[in-house]
Amino acid sequence: MQLHEKYRPAYLKDVVGNADVVATLDGLLHSASFDRDAFWLQGCSGSGKTTLARILAQAVTQGHAQD
């Protein structure tokens, strides 16, 4: 297992350094219109795009049960 797999955050509350993005995604997860939204994550390499996308996908498939 590689380090990025071992220490990758699993929940939005565990993400460090992207407070604005985390707050926005957390608000959207709790909104009624979340099912109709699409997201575009962009940024430089190492900014957490894949981690946030994985957390978001997990929240959608589990019905937002990770709060």
Side-chain angles (χ1 to χ4, degrees):
M1 178 179 287
Q2 295 182 2
L3 287 177
H4 70 87
E5 294 169 343
K6 184 176 181 179
Y7 295 107
R8 180 178 299 217
Y11 303 102
L12 280 177
K13 64 182 178 182
D14 298 332
V15 175
V16 177
N18 288 325
D20 294 338
V21 176
V22 169
T24 301
L25 291 177
D26 190 43
L28 288 172
L29 282 173
H30 291 68
S31 72
S33 67
F34 178 72
D35 298 341
R36 298 182 302 255
D37 290 333
F39 301 95
W40 184 280
L41 299 173
Q42 70 179 32
C44 61
S45 177
S47 62
K49 299 178 299 288
T50 302
T51 298
L52 289 173
R54 291 174 128 222
I55 292 171
L56 190 59
Q58 183 181 34
V60 169
T61 58
Q62 294 182 354
H64 314 238
Q66 65 175 348
D67 298 328

